[in-house]
Amino acid sequence: MSEIIIQIDGRDVAAREGMTILEAAQTAGITIPTLCHHEKLEPYGACRICTVEIENRGRTRLVAACLYPVEKDLVVRTRSEKVDRIRKVILELLLAHAPEATELQVLAKEYGADKDRFEKESSFCILCGLCVRYCAEVKKKHAVGFVDRGTGREISFIPEIASRECWNCKECFPLCPTEALQAAYVLTEALISSSPSFKLEAEE
Amino acid sequence: MARISSVAELEELRKDILSKREPGKPWIAFCGGIGCLCLGNDRVISAFAEEIRKQSLEAKVGLRMTGCHGFCEKGPSVVIYPEEVCYLEVTPEDVPEIIAQTVVGKKVIDRLVYTDPKTGEKAAHLFEIPFYRNQTRFLIGNNPRINPRSIDDYLAAGGYSALAKALFEMSPEQVLAEIKKANLRGRGGGGFPAGLKWETARNAPGEEKYVIVNAHEGEPGAFMDRALFTGNPHCVLEGLIIGAYAIGAHQGFIYTRHDNPQLRENIDIALAQAKEYGLLGENILGSGFNFNVEVHLDIGIFVSGESSALMRSIEGKAPEPRPKYIRTSVSGIWEKPSNLNNVETWANVPMIINKGSAWYAGIGTERSKGTKLISLSGKVCNTGVVEVPLGTPLKEIVYGIGGGIPNGKKLKAVHFGGPMGGSLPESLIDTPLDFDALAKLGAPMGAGAMLVIDEDTCMVDLARHFLEFLAGESCGKCVPCREGIRQMLKILTRITKGKGKEGDLELLEELAGVTREAALCALGRSAPNPFLSTLKYFRDEYEAHIKEKRCPALSCKELSASGGAKKNE
């Protein structure tokens, strides 16, 4: 693999071909915030909190650092007025769902995000997909997945798989950037529905 | 049907088909488009068949179910050839008279022909009706003449001659160069030059390559692609095969809707007939070129029309846009170079090959060439499928073809591109139909859905409506799109209910900015367009809602005309 020198925040950083901006930054000790990223998982590009400004061939663009591959002569700015504004609004949008999440609060402080800017709709879950992808990619069980789309998107455990796999695993819970409360809730729901005795009660 | 294995055999077959057709024999073309069928054309067709049988005219009169004629507003549409007499709003009760008077007696029935509501002038022939007369129907013009389920009809109209020319007189490079010179731009929404996309796919490493027809047409208010593809499937297929030859692909995919059985059937029949004739499959026309096509259906989700989501769907995965920064023409379906074009783009290809890029580039504006299909709907007299040269002023489409605004109302705006498009005010009605001119004004053409808006429509509510649509149709994966739409919709809903407050517009603009800049795919990045364009041109309407609690269009039910929210009773 050939080495590519890119510039991040004014510093020359040596990166390997095929690396993403995020990986190159991490090797150089430069922090870019992430919420849906996990080193064991395929890059996902959903939270967009890792948005950075890049300049290449005279063009300035905003890209997701977790996905954009390094290339020759790339200039990256991990902070700029635009980037900070985007991160601030993203955090405010997420805090409407999970206002007490520590990870979000820490970032909110850094970017001056107001957790009360948008009306609360506390679902706890910010749909980062870490549990869903960990279960699929690492555990290869697919016990939890997404249902519905748009603003109706939710996570859901598949009762038949969850009742078999989840009791002794629960490895996805500590990955949750909020409180895993929603995951616990929908898991319980799934387990109840998969148990015939509970099902009868629920139907009555 | 015998397999054709050379150009000479193809021409022989064409001659044979034409020789069996009697030029003077009357035949009746029924519009089989969805609009006309919904208006009861099936009953009209049965009445014709019955009457023909009663009068023992089976041998003397031909009946043909065709694709959409275009003039949806006045359906059911019936055209009598060879004169091309066009009858509109036909009922089964009219049938005996049409047979006796027109088909046999060669006389026009006055009450069934188009009458110009303003001048009272009658137009008996299809080509005289202003709706048709003011169009340039290169793509859709064959629809009334072709039975989409008959490859012979397409061959009789000169079909597959462009394919023969490409395969035997041109190298793949020459075909590509022709498309590039014609400057054919993608009709699906982006307006990206098709030739450049083809070239990228052609030059991308890898032996296996794919070509795809995007026949998803999810844009609300867009119905021209299904009219073209249902009515003339071979035209699209011919373009696709030529494209595959230029790119070096041997496998094609047609991605279309699960909820349009008529289209699906017509595509399946077209594929089977082309295969039987040797125009598809192994060794096409004896050229040595192999190409096959598979049909895939969506699951009814708007975002599956987005190119990378569509390709994931073909792979059997959930139709979510792919987040990678690599073009699908380099790495698409199963990471192979995959060239996706929309129905209308492919349909342009045979014409370019047959008539040449110089001819094609002579139509349109400097950077937007050829004709464009438009789905004309909304508050306009003549709704339907329209085809005009690019560069045609919007005014000509609304008034010359569309016949203006009904019920004496005033034109307020035209909206292009559905939920990802924008609105232009009446003052900009002289703007040409041009990819760049419209995009610059904040109302990109999109796929070609043109919604005419009169004074009774509230622009704030229009923006709210489109966001409501997207709230349910975004895939919901990325935060700026899912959450940005959610919050923008909440605020706009509040405003239309008379609960808008100071600072709402600034907040909406900030959300629109972030969604536009940070969202993962084109759906999210375009989602704020309707809001941004209506704010740009109709800011006073937003302010009236927020500051005076008044809806100038008298459309928002919870607001009064004079100001102040209505009291709850």
Side-chain angles (χ1 to χ4, degrees):
Chain A
M1 287 280 190
S2 54
E3 192 170 82
I4 297 173
I5 305 288
I6 65 167
Q7 204 192 79
I8 306 180
D9 295 340
R11 272 173 59 189
D12 279 353
V13 173
R16 279 189 327 275
E17 202 186 320
M19 262 187 171
T20 62
I21 292 175
L22 179 65
E23 286 165 337
Q26 281 168 343
T27 53
I30 298 166
T31 312
I32 297 173
T34 61
L35 288 169
C36 69
H37 187 75
H38 191 281
E39 55 190 10
K40 283 187 183 163
L41 306 175
E42 282 291 310
Y44 190 54
C47 74
R48 316 305 279 181
I49 200 90
C50 70
T51 297
V52 293
E53 207 171 282
I54 61 161
E55 212 181 296
N56 204 1
R57 282 166 249 140
R59 262 181 78 205
T60 306
R61 285 169 72 191
L62 292 161
V63 299
C66 69
L67 285 155
Y68 200 89
V70 294
E71 57 197 6
K72 206 170 150 267
D73 301 328
L74 186 70
V75 176
V76 181
R77 283 183 285 275
T78 67
R79 299 290 292 257
S80 75
E81 202 192 315
K82 246 187 193 172
V83 166
D84 283 15
R85 183 171 46 80
I86 287 169
R87 288 185 190 159
K88 172 178 172 285
V89 174
I90 287 174
L91 287 164
E92 288 168 340
L93 289 167
L94 294 177
L95 283 159
H97 295 281
E100 304 303 326
T102 323
E103 235 181 293
L104 295 182
Q105 283 177 343
V106 171
L107 286 168
K109 211 168 169 192
E110 183 164 355
Y111 291 94
D114 171 6
K115 76 174 166 61
D116 299 318
R117 190 160 187 211
F118 298 106
E119 198 190 320
K120 295 282 174 306
E121 212 172 295
S122 300
S123 61
F124 307 109
C125 179
I126 58 168
L127 301 165
C128 68
L130 283 171
C131 54
V132 172
R133 291 178 292 134
Y134 186 84
C135 192
E137 292 176 32
V138 177
K139 305 297 288 185
K140 308 217 183 296
K141 298 294 182 197
H142 303 272
V144 56
F146 288 115
V147 290
D148 211 339
R149 62 188 188 275
T151 52
R153 190 170 169 103
E154 288 177 10
I155 54 163
S156 182
F157 282 84
I158 288 99
E160 292 76 6
I161 307 174
S163 60
R164 209 169 53 228
E165 304 291 343
C166 295
W167 281 122
N168 300 322
C169 173
K170 297 196 274 292
E171 284 169 34
C172 63
F173 280 56
L175 303 176
C176 184
T178 65
E179 316 294 326
L181 276 173
Q182 187 67 7
Y185 175 75
V186 289
L187 173 58
T188 312
E189 226 179 23
L191 293 175
I192 288 173
S193 76
S194 70
S195 151
S197 55
F198 279 118
K199 203 174 182 179
L200 281 175
E201 274 170 40
E203 276 168 4
E204 274 160 12
Chain B
M1 279 202 237
R3 207 184 146 83
I4 312 160
S5 50
S6 70
V7 178
E9 279 178 40
L10 174 70
E11 291 315 316
E12 200 140 309
L13 174 69
R14 197 191 312 281
K15 231 194 263 167
D16 189 48
I17 294 166
L18 287 169
S19 72
K20 284 181 189 145
R21 302 206 161 175
E22 303 156 48
K25 180 179 165 180
W27 55 273
I28 307 163
F30 310 105
C31 175
I34 298 166
C36 281
L37 288 179
C38 290
L39 288 165
N41 215 11
D42 53 338
R43 288 188 303 125
V44 175
I45 297 166
S46 314
F48 268 102
E50 176 69 17
E51 190 64 23
I52 298 268
R53 198 184 48 77
K54 260 203 251 169
Q55 300 203 27
S56 310
L57 289 168
E58 289 98 332
K60 290 183 189 143
V61 179
L63 297 178
R64 190 175 289 172
M65 167 94 127
T66 73
C68 173
H69 295 176
F71 202 174
C72 306
E73 181 74 36
K74 299 276 180 196
S77 163
V78 173
V79 183
I80 295 130
Y81 287 89
E83 294 84 6
E84 212 169 36
V85 173
C86 181
Y87 289 147
L88 300 163
E89 296 178 318
V90 178
T91 63
E93 291 71 43
D94 299 324
V95 170
E97 195 184 347
I98 295 175
I99 299 274
Q101 295 288 319
T102 311
V103 179
V104 179
K106 300 285 174 199
K107 281 196 286 278
V108 170
I109 304 165
D110 240 28
R111 64 177 180 87
L112 290 175
V113 304
Y114 179 80
T115 312
D116 194 308
K118 289 189 188 93
T119 61
E121 220 173 291
K122 302 245 175 204
H125 300 99
L126 186 136
F127 49 86
E128 291 168 337
I129 300 171
F131 176 82
Y132 291 114
R133 192 183 65 212
N134 295 324
Q135 296 187 39
T136 302
R137 307 210 328 148
F138 289 147
L139 297 169
I140 201 95
N142 267 334
N143 267 27
R145 298 191 191 94
I146 283 181
N147 170 359
R149 300 185 174 190
S150 158
I151 191 170
D152 285 2
D153 277 10
Y154 184 63
L155 288 170
Y160 288 107
S161 55
L163 176 64
K165 182 176 175 185
L167 290 179
F168 291 93
E169 294 171 36
M170 299 168 85
S171 67
E173 293 81 1
Q174 282 171 317
V175 174
L176 181 64
E178 224 24 41
I179 299 300
K180 277 171 76 179
K181 264 193 278 176
N183 196 11
L184 171 63
R185 292 175 68 172
R187 270 31 177 176
F192 188 80
L196 291 182
K197 208 188 213 180
W198 290 20
E199 194 171 42
T200 306
R202 183 182 161 76
N203 294 340
E207 278 304 299
E208 204 165 337
K209 291 170 187 182
Y210 305 122
V211 285
I212 309 148
V213 182
N214 186 352
H216 188 256
E217 198 171 45
E219 192 173 294
F223 41 86
M224 64 270 146
D225 281 353
R226 67 200 76 181
L228 178 62
F229 208 2
T230 312
N232 195 353
H234 285 286
C235 169
V236 180
L237 184 57
E238 186 180 1
L240 181 70
I241 307 170
I242 295 170
Y245 171 70
I247 289 162
H250 301 286
Q251 177 65 49
F253 296 96
I254 292 170
Y255 190 84
T256 187
R257 308 181 67 83
H258 72 292
D259 54 3
N260 201 334
Q262 193 196 14
L263 172 58
R264 171 75 205 257
E265 261 175 68
N266 288 8
I267 293 172
D268 283 344
I269 292 167
L271 291 176
Q273 290 178 337
K275 199 150 194 170
E276 226 175 310
Y277 269 160
L279 295 160
L280 201 60
E282 305 300 298
N283 193 17
I284 294 172
L285 286 173
S287 66
F289 178 64
N290 307 327
F291 181 64
N292 284 295
V293 178
E294 246 177 58
V295 182
H296 279 250
L297 299 181
D298 80 330
I299 50 165
I301 295 176
F302 178 67
V303 76
S304 34
E306 193 274 342
S307 62
S308 65
L310 183 153
M311 293 189 197
R312 284 177 62 107
S313 179
I314 289 178
E315 289 173 356
K317 296 176 187 150
E320 271 173 19
R322 185 178 68 167
K324 286 181 188 166
Y325 290 97
I326 183 161
R327 276 172 291 182
T328 47
S329 45
V330 174
S331 171
I333 304 175
W334 298 301
E335 288 168 16
K336 309 270 191 268
S338 306
N339 181 85
L340 175 98
N341 285 120
N342 134 295
V343 166
E344 189 186 341
T345 315
W346 289 117
N348 270 282
V349 172
M351 179 163 73
I352 295 171
I353 296 303
N354 262 335
K355 300 189 179 178
S357 58
W359 170 82
Y360 190 82
I363 309 155
T365 65
E366 200 194 334
R367 296 191 58 228
S368 299
K369 302 295 187 191
T371 59
K372 179 78 193 81
L373 290 172
I374 293 289
S375 298
L376 189 60
S377 72
K379 305 289 182 66
V380 62
C381 291
N382 305 333
T383 57
V385 179
V386 167
E387 185 179 350
V388 287
L390 282 156
T392 303
L394 304 182
K395 192 177 186 175
E396 171 63 16
I397 303 173
V398 174
Y399 292 98
I401 295 165
I405 318 302
N407 309 318
K409 296 283 180 181
K410 278 201 329 228
L411 171 70
K412 185 188 212 170
V414 289
H415 184 91
F416 276 101
M420 293 154 74
S423 299
L424 291 183
E426 193 268 340
S427 59
L428 292 171
I429 198 69
D430 290 318
T431 307
L433 184 77
D434 175 285
F435 287 110
D436 309 308
L438 289 173
K440 210 172 141 192
L441 292 169
M445 203 188 307
M450 181 172 168
L451 181 70
V452 181
I453 294 163
D454 76 1
E455 55 194 307
D456 290 345
T457 301
C458 168
M459 300 311 278
V460 183
D461 194 45
L462 182 84
R464 185 204 59 76
H465 164 80
F466 282 133
L467 277 168
E468 189 175 30
F469 174 85
L470 289 178
E473 291 299 335
S474 148
C475 77
K477 177 176 168 176
C478 84
V479 178
C481 179
R482 182 187 70 238
E483 300 302 330
I485 289 173
R486 189 199 307 271
Q487 295 301 340
M488 282 192 279
L489 175 59
K490 271 191 189 178
I491 300 166
L492 281 170
T493 306
R494 216 162 24 72
I495 294 174
T496 56
K497 291 195 165 155
K499 290 179 182 142
K501 48 181 195 255
E502 191 82 15
D504 273 352
L505 292 181
E506 291 73 19
L507 180 54
L508 278 167
E509 280 181 296
E510 189 176 347
L511 283 167
V514 169
T515 306
R516 191 176 228 194
E517 285 172 327
L520 187 155
C521 81
L523 184 147
R525 287 195 296 268
S526 324
N529 282 354
F531 161 69
L532 289 170
S533 72
T534 49
L535 183 69
K536 182 173 172 186
Y537 298 114
F538 300 94
R539 197 176 187 105
D540 53 332
E541 281 196 38
Y542 280 91
E543 282 172 353
H545 280 76
I546 295 169
K547 291 185 185 151
E548 300 160 42
K549 311 294 175 211
R550 181 171 70 82
C551 174
L554 313 181
S555 159
C556 294
K557 297 219 164 21
E558 284 166 63
L559 293 178
S560 67
S562 53
K566 282 184 188 163
K567 298 263 163 12
N568 285 333
E569 268 124 45

